[in-house]
């Protein structure tokens, strides 16, 4: 009897465990379903009808085989879940450009994947150039709806608004007909995606802060320091461009907190100190180093912009400066000058070393850092460019040039490799250079936009500054026809249509 009771008890425990794990599995599957279902799938037949029913929508035009699309898709789905209950509503949708959405993608001139566009009531409002991770997408899209400047109706709402860990630009206006207020609201509409705006005409709010017709920029408390004021009052004319410039100049202060979402707001020449920046878990330690950067920055504010960034969030960027994983607390300092050249402070961080480094960069006394493979011998028709020989092999080669920027791990690049070699061999006696470059192992000149692989550009020999992205077919004949048509001088072996010339003519 005891054995029977013991066996029954064991079975009950096992049954309860099975129930728990089954419930957990179902919950996980439901969570995944909810996430995926939050994104609306659109095709040619229903695109216009469905989209016109949404006040605000973010649409991702994609191709299933695209690596960037695959990375964005889960973040897009998470963002859709975050925005599902937003008031006013925001819809996230996607269109497969290779299947049911081909005509729609052509209609909106989709050239690459993924392409994201913001729609208002079915009409294109703007291109989406915001973050590519879920929280950033949600934040960016929330800024697209509702009033561009939050109405602060009482002192409590104003205090709560300023307590957030973000820079805030507030307009205090006693008169509703203020010219400054009219300009302020227009600027808020323009910058709503990147700047928090608030506005108040409440007497108690105006009395507390002491303003009646002013625009004030407030910095968050966690960035308060002795080297600059916590707030600034605009003192210029009621001119949108002038106020815009004032906001941009002062928004991040002497040394801004640069993260993944706002990194594009920091302009070159830019000095970045990379270390364990963490205002949630370690605000004191973060400001310990930031204050030292600030102390030096005040002497160089006319020469550089300054920022601090979390070393782990920007590891790929650190790699671009030749800096591997940082396993200590001290900042690593790197600079991009106005032309994009890179400089790295090699000495251990100290105020003295930092000052010397900046003076050397300013004086042009340092050799720029260049990420480059070794220079190859280039004895074959298909030439290889690296960062160190790019000017010689591409810019100053005196030939029309077709260049491929590739990644060794890219499947499409591997498929293109032998075809590109065939093209180079076929054109070896022509006044044309066929060039490849590993864009993961070399610095790509900044004027070439390389977002995916492979990316190809055509450069006419007498107009190398105006390179053209190659968007044609990727078979040997496609390349030959394109080059024959666009070559500065007609090819010896092919006419302008790409047809082979009679051998007797050669």
């Amino acid at each position: 009897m005891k054995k029977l009771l013991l066996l029954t008890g064991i079975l009950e425990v096992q049954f309860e465990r099975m129930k728990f794990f089954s419930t957990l599995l179902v919950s996980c599957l439901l969570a995944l379903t909810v996430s995926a279902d939050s994104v609306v799938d659109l095709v040619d037949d229903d695109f216009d009808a469905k989209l016109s029913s949404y006040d605000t929508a973010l649409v991702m035009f994609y191709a299933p085989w695209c690596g960037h699309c695959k990375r964005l898709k889960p973040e897009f789905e998470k963002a859709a879940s975050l925005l599902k209950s937003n008031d006013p509503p925001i819809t996230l949708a996607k269109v497969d450009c290779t299947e049911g959405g081909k005509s729609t993608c052509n209609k909106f001139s989709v050239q690459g994947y993924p392409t994201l566009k913001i729609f208002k009531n079915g009409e294109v409002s703007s291109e989406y150039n915001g973050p590519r991770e879920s929280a950033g997408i949600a934040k960016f899209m929330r800024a697209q709806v509702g009033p561009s400047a939050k109405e602060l109706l009482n002192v409590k709402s104003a205090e709560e608004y300023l307590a957030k860990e973000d820079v805030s630009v507030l307009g205090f206006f006693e008169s509703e007909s203020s010219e400054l207020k009219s300009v302020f609201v227009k600027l808020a509409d323009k910058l709503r995606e990147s700047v928090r705006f608030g506005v108040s005409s409440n007497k108690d709010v105006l009395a507390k802060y002491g303003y009646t017709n002013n625009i004030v920029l407030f910095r968050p408390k966690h960035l308060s320091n002795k080297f600059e004021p916590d707030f600034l009052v605009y003192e210029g004319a009621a001119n949108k461009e002038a106020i815009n410039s004032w906001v941009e100049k002062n928004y991040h202060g002497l040394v801004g907190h640069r993260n993944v979402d706002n990194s594009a707001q920091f302009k070159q020449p830019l000095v970045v100190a990379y270390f364990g920046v963490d205002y949630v878990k370690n605000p004191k330690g973060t400001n310990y180093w930031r204050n030292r950067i600030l102390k030096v920055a005040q002497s160089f504010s006319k020469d550089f912009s300054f920022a601090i960034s979390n070393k782990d969030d920007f590891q790929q960027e650190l790699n671009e400066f030749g800096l591997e994983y940082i396993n200590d607390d001290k900042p690593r300092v790197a600079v991009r000058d106005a032309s994009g050249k890179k400089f790295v402070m090699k000495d251990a961080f100290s105020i003295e070393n930092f000052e010397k480094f900046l003076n050397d960069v300013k004086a042009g006394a340092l050799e720029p850092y260049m990420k480059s493979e070794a220079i190859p011998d280039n004895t074959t028709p298909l030439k290889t460019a690296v960062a160190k020989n790019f000017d010689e092999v591409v810019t100053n080669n005196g030939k029309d040039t077709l260049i491929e920027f590739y990644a060794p791990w890219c499947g499409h690049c591997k498929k293109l490799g032998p075809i590109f070699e065939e093209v180079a061999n076929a054109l070896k006696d022509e006044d044309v250079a066929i060039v490849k470059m590993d864009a993961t192992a070399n610095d790509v000149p900044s004027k070439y936009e390389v977002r995916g692989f492979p990316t190809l550009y055509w450069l006419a020999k007498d107009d190398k500054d105006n390179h053209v992205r190659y968007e044609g077919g990727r078979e040997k004949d496609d390349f030959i026809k394109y080059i024959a048509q666009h070559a500065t001088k007609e090819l010896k072996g092919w006419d302008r249509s790409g047809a082979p010339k009679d051998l007797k003519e050669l």
Side-chain angles (χ1 to χ4, degrees), residues 380-383 418-430 432-435 476 480 483:
T380 59
L382 178 59
K383 306 303 179 185
I419 297 172
F420 221 55
E421 195 164 350
E422 284 182 38
V423 174
N425 286 327
L427 299 175
K428 63 182 179 180
D429 296 323
E430 303 285 354
V432 176
I434 308 300
V435 184
K476 177 185 174 182
I480 297 291
I483 293 169

Side-chain angles (χ1 to χ4, degrees), residues 92-136:
L92 266 60
K94 64 182 190 291
V95 177
D96 183 346
C97 293
T98 67
E99 294 293 338
K102 288 182 179 179
S103 296
T104 301
C105 295
N106 289 332
K107 176 182 175 181
F108 292 102
S109 303
V110 175
Q111 299 292 325
Y113 308 115
T115 292
L116 292 94
K117 296 177 184 285
I118 298 170
F119 288 76
K120 299 284 183 75
N121 300 309
E123 299 291 331
V124 175
S125 172
S126 65
E127 300 291 325
Y128 176 87
N129 295 308
R132 295 295 175 104
E133 46 82 30
S134 59

Side-chain angles (χ1 to χ4, degrees), residues 276-312:
V277 175
D278 190 337
Y279 277 108
V280 176
K281 297 179 180 179
N282 189 21
K284 186 176 180 180
T286 299
N287 278 332
Y288 171 86
W289 291 114
R290 180 172 181 261
N291 285 335
R292 280 150 180 75
I293 307 295
L294 279 158
K295 186 173 183 179
V296 176
Q298 55 185 339
S299 301
F300 293 88
S301 60
K302 293 181 180 179
D303 306 300
F304 304 99
S305 297
F306 289 83
I308 57 171
S309 288
N310 182 278
K311 61 180 182 177
D312 297 327

